[in-house]
């Protein structure tokens, strides 16, 4: 009888494969409250690496980290009508505290535009206080009716940036800078995902924004995942919270604002972009563990050598872990590391020591080869760079091969339901066609210009709508 696969094959049931992988790779569990998740150490290690890489880029963009309260007075959300309308179905509201009914209900933050603007209105007095660039790493709660671990959970972790500027142009340019130089740079060069940059239609725009810039990734099943967004808020929240500054000309002016965010949804995107039927494949630049050194047998000389190799690789700048748990069968440990997607396994046994070699197993392209022990430290950086590039190349090739150019709503729906994306001229689709797409659970993920760049306006001539089914 054939041995049952460790994971449900992607081709058989992609959602089941996804859930199997999260469980078998020990990334997360469901929480006790419906829609919540427990992020296990290995999954949280991936998130920590994402935080580190993102945080460095955010700070390079001039933003500083701060923290704002989890509880928001309900009256704050009602100050911006479009914002509260957009989030009302997802709000968790606290009505009692300390055994008493609260005088005013408080909302568990779904996002922090309102509470941060209440502070901005106090902190900003003069043009000298601008631009004000703030980011926070936090949790948010949005009551999710169709939860899926990492992709849609009632509580999730994220970063949210909020800024105030003296002019529309400054705010617009900063939102675009975050979109490209922070988010795209990280997602392409660290996550290895070929994201598409575009502009959301008014129907898909963030509640309370005047423009939303998005990054869309194609997953292994051809669906789209919104990986991050950067919003121009105009003066909507400034008007609601009276956030003004004294200009150089001595006039009171409303500030112009942005907000932008990315979340633990990126962990889901990582899984669905790069995972295969053997498990996760983690890009080397992201991987908490880039190489694991495994002792095949409980042999003193082998154990000493794997620890020595670990020290040498660590000194060479490789994030390495030594697996000397020889009381656990080698085959089981190898499968576990394969499931977790560690880019490189270095396997050492008594026969390898005799030959002065180790077996090098590469998770991303697959395959094994015997390598001289003395060559490992010099070889590994180049191997990791090759594997990083390969993941991005595969992501790029998938999107190119599964994107079709169409001219009708029917063709767009057909392409999306077949597991791909469609490009259709916005002039041929329009808002009426966008509404018809929604009847088939298909959405316009973004608008792009004819040359593939981000268009300057919703109705710019030549805009193309990118259409897909989405998570």
């Amino acid at each position: 009888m054939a041995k049952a696969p460790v994971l449900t094959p992607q081709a058989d049931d992609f959602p089941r494969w996804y859930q199997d992988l999260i469980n078998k790779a020990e990334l997360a569990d469901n929480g006790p409250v419906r829609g919540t998740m427990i992020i296990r150490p290995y999954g949280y290690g991936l998130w920590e690496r994402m935080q580190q890489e993102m945080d460095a880029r955010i700070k390079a963009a001039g933003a500083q980290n701060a923290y704002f309260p989890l509880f928001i007075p309900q009256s704050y959300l009602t100050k911006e009508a479009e914002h509260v309308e957009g989030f009302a179905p997802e709000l968790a509201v606290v009505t009692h505290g300390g055994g008493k009914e609260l005088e005013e209900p408080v909302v568990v933050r779904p996002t922090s535009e309102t509470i941060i603007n209440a502070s901005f209105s106090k902190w900003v007095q003069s043009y000298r206080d601008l631009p004000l660039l703030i980011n926070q790493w936090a949790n948010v709660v949005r009551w999710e009716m169709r939860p899926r671990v990492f992709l849609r959970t009632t509580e999730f972790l994220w970063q949210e940036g909020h800024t105030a500027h003296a002019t529309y142009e400054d705010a617009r340019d900063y939102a675009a800078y975050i979109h490209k130089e922070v988010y795209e740079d990280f997602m392409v060069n660290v996550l290895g995902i070929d994201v598409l940059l575009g502009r959301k239609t008014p129907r898909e725009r963030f509640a309370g924004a005047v423009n939303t810039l998005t990054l869309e990734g194609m997953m292994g099943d051809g669906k789209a995942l919104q990986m991050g967004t950067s919003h121009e808020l105009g003066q909507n929240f400034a008007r609601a919270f009276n956030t003004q500054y004294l200009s150089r000309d001595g006039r009171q002016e409303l500030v112009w604002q942005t907000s932008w965010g990315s979340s633990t949804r990126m962990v889901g995107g990582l899984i669905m972009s790069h995972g295969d039927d053997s498990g996760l494949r983690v890009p080397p630049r992201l991987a908490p563990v880039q190489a694991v050194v495994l002792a095949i047998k409980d042999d003193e000389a082998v154990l000493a050598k794997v620890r020595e190799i670990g020290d040498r690789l660590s000194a060479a700048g490789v994030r390495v872990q030594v697996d000397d748990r020889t009381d656990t069968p080698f085959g089981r440990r190898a499968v576990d590391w394969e499931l977790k997607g560690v880019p490189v396994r270095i396997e050492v046994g008594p026969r390898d020591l005799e030959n002065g070699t180790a077996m090098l197993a590469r998770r991303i392209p697959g395959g094994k080869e015997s390598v001289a022990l003395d060559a490992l430290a010099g070889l590994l950086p180049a191997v990791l760079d090759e594997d990083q590039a390969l993941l991005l190349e595969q992501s790029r090739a998938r999107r190119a091969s599964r994107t079709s150019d169409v001219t009708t709503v029917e063709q767009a729906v057909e392409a999306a339901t077949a597991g791909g994306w469609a490009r259709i001229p916005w002039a041929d689709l329009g808002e009426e066609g966008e509404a018809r797409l929604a009847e088939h659970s298909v959405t316009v993920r973004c608008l792009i210009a004819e040359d593939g760049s981000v268009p300057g306006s919703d109705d710019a001539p030549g805009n193309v709508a990118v259409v897909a089914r989405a998570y």
Side-chain angles (χ1 to χ4, degrees), residues 159-356:
Q159 60 72 212
E160 52 177 318
H162 300 268
T163 70
H165 305 261
T167 66
Y168 159 74
E169 290 79 12
D170 194 32
R172 176 201 62 196
D173 293 348
Y174 194 79
Y177 183 89
I178 293 292
H179 188 220
K180 187 166 183 62
E181 302 301 330
V182 174
Y183 291 159
E184 183 191 28
D185 180 64
F186 166 70
M187 292 170 191
V188 170
N189 295 316
V190 179
L191 293 187
I193 298 175
D194 178 45
V195 289
L196 177 68
L197 278 65
R199 179 187 182 101
K200 286 290 189 185
T201 64
R203 183 188 182 98
E204 296 290 327
R205 189 179 293 157
F206 176 74
V210 299
N211 182 33
T212 291
L213 303 174
T214 185
L215 302 99
E216 304 286 330
M218 179 182 281
M219 302 297 99
D221 61 352
K223 288 185 179 180
L225 184 71
Q226 180 180 290
M227 300 284 290
T229 48
S230 183
H231 314 290
E232 297 173 39
L233 302 180
Q235 294 180 311
N236 291 344
F237 290 90
R239 190 171 293 109
F241 286 85
N242 197 33
T243 310
Q244 300 187 68
Y245 71 98
L246 187 66
S247 72
R248 291 178 184 272
D249 300 330
R251 294 196 303 266
Q252 288 292 328
E253 304 277 359
L254 292 171
V255 299
W256 297 83
Q257 294 184 270
T258 77
S259 68
W260 27 277
S262 60
S263 74
T264 38
R265 172 178 282 200
M266 291 190 294
V267 180
L270 173 75
I271 296 167
M272 294 193 297
S273 288
H274 298 320
D276 61 19
D277 284 347
S278 296
L280 189 58
R281 296 189 301 165
V282 182
R285 290 179 191 164
L286 178 76
V289 179
Q290 295 174 312
V292 60
V293 189
L294 289 93
I296 294 176
K297 290 189 176 180
D298 186 10
D299 176 280
E300 286 189 13
V302 168
L303 293 172
K305 179 56 70 172
V306 297
R307 290 162 188 159
E308 176 192 325
I309 293 170
D311 289 341
R312 288 171 59 193
L313 292 179
S314 182
V318 177
R319 293 187 290 277
V320 63
Q321 183 166 329
V322 172
D323 185 347
D324 53 9
R325 301 169 297 156
T326 51
D327 55 343
T328 300
F330 168 74
R332 177 178 172 181
R333 288 183 286 138
V335 168
D336 284 347
W337 288 115
E338 188 168 57
L339 280 166
K340 287 180 165 62
V342 171
V344 170
R345 295 196 316 274
I346 299 163
E347 303 167 355
V348 182
R351 189 177 302 172
D352 298 299
L353 280 190
E354 291 177 9
N355 297 329

Side-chain angles (χ1 to χ4, degrees), residues 20-210:
D20 283 354
L21 178 48
I22 287 173
N23 292 334
K24 296 289 179 63
E26 300 179 333
L27 299 177
D29 278 336
N30 291 313
V33 175
R34 184 180 183 278
T36 62
M37 65 175 168
I38 299 165
I39 306 176
R40 300 185 67 176
Y42 190 72
Y44 199 80
L46 294 172
W47 175 241
E48 283 183 313
R49 286 285 304 134
M50 292 180 183
Q51 281 184 299
Q52 292 164 13
E53 292 284 350
M54 290 281 291
D55 198 59
R57 287 164 173 77
I58 288 167
K59 286 174 178 171
Q64 295 178 299
N65 285 337
Y67 186 81
F68 293 82
L70 175 68
F71 296 126
I72 302 173
Q74 192 173 44
S75 60
Y76 279 22
L77 269 77
T78 62
K79 289 189 176 185
E80 213 291 323
E82 186 178 348
H83 190 66
V84 70
E85 181 181 353
F87 280 100
E90 301 175 329
L91 296 182
V93 183
V94 179
T95 59
H96 288 73
K100 298 180 180 180
E101 185 173 354
L102 301 178
E103 290 185 11
E104 178 186 354
V106 297
V107 171
V108 183
R109 67 170 164 236
T111 181
S112 298
E113 277 77 9
T114 58
I115 196 166
I116 288 179
N117 264 279
S119 293
F120 277 13
S121 65
K122 293 186 292 185
W123 298 347
V124 175
Q125 304 296 325
S126 157
Y127 68 89
R128 297 182 184 88
D129 300 319
L130 300 173
L132 179 56
L133 313 175
I134 296 292
N135 177 65
Q136 79 165 342
W137 292 94
N139 61 340
V140 292
V141 170
R142 299 178 184 177
W143 214 258
E144 183 56 56
M145 303 308 295
R146 296 181 298 277
R148 186 173 295 180
V149 174
F150 288 121
L151 300 178
R152 290 187 177 276
T153 50
T154 295
E155 179 191 9
F156 56 90
L157 306 179
W158 77 345
Q159 60 72 212
E160 52 177 318
H162 300 268
T163 70
H165 305 261
T167 66
Y168 159 74
E169 290 79 12
D170 194 32
R172 176 201 62 196
D173 293 348
Y174 194 79
Y177 183 89
I178 293 292
H179 188 220
K180 187 166 183 62
E181 302 301 330
V182 174
Y183 291 159
E184 183 191 28
D185 180 64
F186 166 70
M187 292 170 191
V188 170
N189 295 316
V190 179
L191 293 187
I193 298 175
D194 178 45
V195 289
L196 177 68
L197 278 65
R199 179 187 182 101
K200 286 290 189 185
T201 64
R203 183 188 182 98
E204 296 290 327
R205 189 179 293 157
F206 176 74
V210 299

